[in-house]
Amino acid sequence: MSTVIEQAVEARLVASAPRMEVVPAVLRYDCDDPYAVRMVFPAPATLEGVEVAWEFSRELLAAGLDAPSGTGDVRVRPFGHDRTGVEFHAVEGVAMVHVRTTDVRRFLRRSRQLVPLGCEYLFLDLDHDLAELLRDAY
């Protein structure tokens, strides 16, 4: 069984212009980091021309489907009846995308089949992580 889930999503970039540009993105979940999800934007979709990945908690993504969630660099909120807004805050500015809520729910359902909520700790290798941390410290 695979320990990684990737799902392509269509992200609509919210800009000051009335038209919203559609950019490709991928939602990614990996059992090796069971509390986190990543939203990856390919190089052609970014201003810098390099792939950009934002990492945030799976719990934040799930909570943001029903109510505004997050106070840090990533914020998630419902937008209308079929969209979810994801805001990315960086030194350079703020970007906001809308994705289909059904796509996000499908992604989260698949991630929960892989690692049920509340069982994330069972997928952590604390001995390995501690050894890596100590190795890097010396």
Side-chain angles (χ1 to χ4, degrees), residues 26-97:
V26 173
L27 287 170
R28 187 172 198 275
Y29 181 79
D30 186 338
C31 285
D32 288 340
D33 194 1
Y35 290 101
V37 296
R38 286 166 193 75
M39 190 168 209
V40 182
F41 297 91
T46 68
L47 294 174
E48 298 83 18
V50 296
E51 180 179 276
V52 173
W54 283 83
E55 184 174 325
F56 49 99
S57 82
R58 177 170 70 160
E59 184 179 342
L60 171 67
L61 184 60
L65 294 175
D66 300 314
S69 298
T71 58
D73 293 343
V74 178
R75 301 171 190 178
V76 183
R77 69 188 64 212
F79 188 84
H81 69 282
D82 66 342
R83 297 274 174 190
T84 298
V86 184
E87 291 180 22
F88 303 101
H89 294 252
V91 174
E92 301 81 10
V94 177
M96 182 174 190
V97 298

